[in-house]
Amino acid sequence: MNKLLRSKLPLILIFFLFGGLLPASSSVFCTATANERYDDDLYTNQGSYNGASGRHGRNGRDGENKTFIADGSSISFDLSGQDGEDGEDGGSGSRPKCRHSERNPNNDIKAPDGANGGNGGKGGDGGNGGNITVYYTNLADLQKILVRANPGDPGRGGRGGRGVAGCRCHKSSWERETCTGKPGTPDYKCTKKTYRCQSGRDGYSGSDGIDGKKGKLGVLSIVKSQQTLPEETPSVTLPISELGSKQINLSKHKWKLHQGAASLLAPGSIIADEYREFEERLETVFQLVWQERQPISNFGNEKVKVSLNDNKQVEVDFPDDLWVAGSSSNEANSTKFTVNHLIPRKDVTRLSVAEFADAGENLNLKIVDLAAKSDVINTQFRVKFRIKDNNAGFGDYQTQYDGEIPANLVTRDYNRFTLALGKLNIKRENLRPGVNVDIEVVATRSLGERSAKQTITWQSAIRKPLKNQR
């Protein structure tokens, strides 16, 4: 032990001898721990962590649904939904380490920032009250049934955690003198440099979590019968190929809506004011008839939803990426939907310029439908026709026509359209050979209730017609 002390004694003496020459004031302090100093290696690793966000509260469970046959006996049901849980509070940020190894260091300092507080968790939603369906012969028997279908209360949102103050500078700036050479010699020079300290940013407090939503009251449904209703199948969703290979049985219960549910039940009942009374059961058989040119197997993975509504009409919903043209027919308790055309959305906008030909009043632009669907899809064209003004400083284009192309100036030959641009209200000198043009065509394609636009651009010089062209 003594041997170790003797070996370190000279270093200790040197430290005190030179330490007396250093400035006595410290440059940076932390407001929370004023007796500590920054460590240089902690400037980037601030030694603090943001507070964790609070967990969301769980939603309350819905009340149980019940079916009951009224026989005149007294009974009570508690179908209340559970309350939602409160969200957890966010955690506070941890304190940064505010230390420094020197008193006035020869470098700038960025003090550590304070950590942010965590956000409070959202409160859970209250559960809905359970629904009850009562079958009866005598409506007065419902007066013996007490139902409490209260909604669950919402949980409160958690509070946000507090942010922590960043470390503060005791001095905003200081000077350090640096000398080179040997004192007393001509090459001995000293220079002073100013260094600065930037205080750390205070951490932000976390935001409070929002409260949950209150649940809904349960609903009463009544059926004047002692026989319970059979299961219903109001809609099905199937791949097109499967839908086209079999008949689908659809069924739906139709209900009338009334007010005053609590007045039908025992006094003290708590339930939604609007109740349902069974009116009739709707049934139909659905069949898909395929008339599209492409085989139905080409659309095998695409699913279609078929639904029966309260008007006993069948609604057929195809995916958004399919355009359909068809018709529906009803006979007794049977519905058929005939698919005449079914076009993938990607094939609707596959128009492309095929030819830009002729000049003058015979100038035309030919556009081809690469998907070959123009015998089914309606198409309208709008054009912006511009010419390049070579006399302008930058050769700008000037608009000569901007509007719809009249139907009589558009001809279609199967999947090829010819736009008679030379017949538009454009000055003849702007249609002569050698004129540089910029053409923008907007095609509006539609089938049934669906439509899409495609923009086609073309730049070229009007060329002199070939001798054998008309």
Side-chain angles (χ1 to χ4, degrees):
M1 178 68 73
N2 294 334
K3 196 173 186 179
L4 179 61
L5 181 60
R6 286 196 302 270
S7 65
K8 291 190 175 182
L9 185 58
L11 294 175
I12 294 173
L13 290 173
I14 292 172
F15 175 82
F16 279 101
L17 287 171
F18 284 92
L21 300 176
L22 295 174
S25 61
S26 179
S27 60
V28 184
F29 289 90
C30 177
T31 56
T33 54
N35 292 328
E36 293 183 338
R37 301 184 181 93
Y38 300 135
D39 285 335
D40 289 336
D41 60 352
L42 293 176
Y43 293 156
T44 55
N45 180 15
Q46 298 178 7
S48 62
Y49 300 93
N50 293 332
S53 294
R55 288 184 301 177
H56 298 323
R58 287 184 296 183
N59 296 333
R61 286 186 301 182
D62 293 339
E64 182 182 4
N65 294 328
K66 280 287 184 181
T67 297
F68 180 70
I69 300 177
D71 58 4
S73 58
S74 297
I75 192 170
S76 63
F77 296 100
D78 188 353
L79 311 178
S80 299
Q82 289 186 343
D83 296 339
E85 290 185 351
D86 293 339
E88 287 187 346
D89 294 339
S92 296
S94 62
R95 295 183 184 278
K97 296 179 181 179
C98 303
R99 297 197 300 271
H100 196 278
S101 60
E102 300 182 41
R103 292 184 176 176
N104 286 329
N106 57 349
N107 56 272
D108 292 330
I109 294 174
K110 170 61 175 73
D113 295 333
N116 300 326
N119 296 327
K122 174 187 176 296
D125 295 336
N128 298 323
N131 302 321
I132 184 169
T133 302
V134 179
Y135 293 83
Y136 69 95
T137 301
N138 184 1
L139 188 62
D141 290 342
L142 273 67
Q143 291 286 328
K144 301 291 185 68
I145 304 173
L146 178 66
V147 179
R148 290 189 176 93
N150 290 294
D153 288 328
R156 293 177 300 179
R159 292 175 298 181
R162 291 184 304 169
V164 177
C167 296
R168 296 290 184 265
C169 297
H170 183 64
K171 284 185 177 181
S172 61
S173 63
W174 60 93
E175 287 186 345
R176 288 294 301 269
E177 185 178 63
T178 302
C179 298
T180 58
K182 186 176 181 181
T185 62
D187 60 346
Y188 182 72
K189 294 181 180 180
C190 293
T191 58
K192 290 183 179 181
K193 184 175 180 180
T194 300
Y195 297 96
R196 289 176 173 79
C197 177
Q198 179 183 351
S199 295
R201 175 187 60 80
D202 291 342
Y204 300 108
S205 293
S207 59
D208 294 339
I210 60 174
D211 295 338
K213 298 178 181 178
K214 190 178 181 66
K216 297 178 181 179
L217 289 162
V219 176
L220 170 67
S221 300
I222 60 174
V223 182
K224 190 174 183 179
S225 173
Q226 291 295 308
Q227 300 294 323
T228 58
L229 296 175
E231 293 291 330
E232 60 179 341
T233 307
S235 66
V236 295
T237 301
L238 293 171
I240 293 179
S241 57
E242 185 176 344
L243 195 62
S245 63
K246 60 183 179 182
Q247 293 184 340
I248 304 298
N249 295 316
L250 298 174
S251 58
K252 180 179 177 63
H253 299 150
K254 187 176 180 180
W255 302 84
K256 290 181 180 179
L257 299 179
H258 304 281
Q259 306 296 320
S263 64
L264 299 179
L265 302 171
S269 292
I270 301 173
I271 200 162
D273 186 61
E274 185 176 77
Y275 68 95
R276 307 190 307 165
E277 181 184 12
F278 177 73
E279 182 178 356
E280 64 175 320
R281 179 179 172 87
L282 306 177
E283 295 180 337
T284 191
V285 176
F286 175 80
Q287 184 177 4
L288 186 72
V289 180
W290 191 258
Q291 296 292 340
E292 162 64 38
R293 292 195 300 261
Q294 301 180 70
I296 195 170
S297 58
N298 286 8
F299 304 89
N301 294 328
E302 299 286 353
K303 292 185 176 181
V304 176
K305 183 178 180 180
V306 181
S307 305
L308 179 63
N309 62 29
D310 282 349
N311 296 322
K312 207 176 180 179
Q313 301 295 317
V314 176
E315 299 173 354
V316 186
D317 294 324
F318 286 83
D320 290 338
D321 59 352
L322 291 179
W323 285 22
V324 61
S327 59
S328 181
S329 61
N330 299 311
E331 295 181 6
N333 291 326
S334 176
T335 300
K336 292 183 179 180
F337 185 84
T338 302
V339 177
N340 297 315
H341 303 286
L342 194 63
I343 302 173
R345 171 66 175 78
K346 60 182 177 62
D347 287 342
V348 173
T349 52
R350 292 183 58 192
L351 301 178
S352 180
V353 173
E355 187 180 7
F356 182 60
D358 225 314
E361 64 178 10
N362 295 321
L363 180 68
N364 60 68
L365 182 69
K366 295 183 179 180
I367 295 176
V368 64
D369 177 7
L370 300 178
K373 302 295 182 182
S374 293
D375 59 331
V376 177
I377 300 175
N378 295 320
T379 309
Q380 293 180 318
F381 295 98
R382 181 183 181 90
V383 66
K384 179 185 288 187
F385 187 94
R386 302 191 303 164
I387 66 168
K388 192 170 186 178
D389 185 0
N390 294 321
N391 296 322
F394 298 95
D396 293 335
Y397 284 93
Q398 294 183 347
T399 300
Q400 302 299 309
Y401 183 89
D402 186 1
E404 302 288 339
I405 300 182
N408 64 316
L409 299 185
V410 178
T411 57
R412 181 177 68 86
D413 181 13
Y414 188 47
N415 289 306
R416 184 180 291 263
F417 297 91
T418 300
L419 312 184
L421 302 181
K423 301 284 195 302
L424 296 174
N425 186 21
I426 301 173
K427 293 181 179 179
R428 298 300 93 176
E429 61 265 25
N430 295 326
L431 300 174
R432 67 184 186 277
V435 174
N436 291 312
V437 299
D438 175 87
I439 302 172
E440 179 185 271
V441 177
V442 178
T444 301
R445 310 269 277 169
S446 59
L447 180 65
E449 296 181 353
R450 298 188 178 183
S451 66
K453 294 183 183 293
Q454 180 183 355
T455 300
I456 306 167
T457 59
W458 179 262
Q459 285 187 342
S460 178
I462 299 176
R463 292 177 294 179
K464 187 175 182 178
L466 297 177
K467 291 183 179 180
N468 58 355
Q469 283 187 322
R470 293 183 179 181

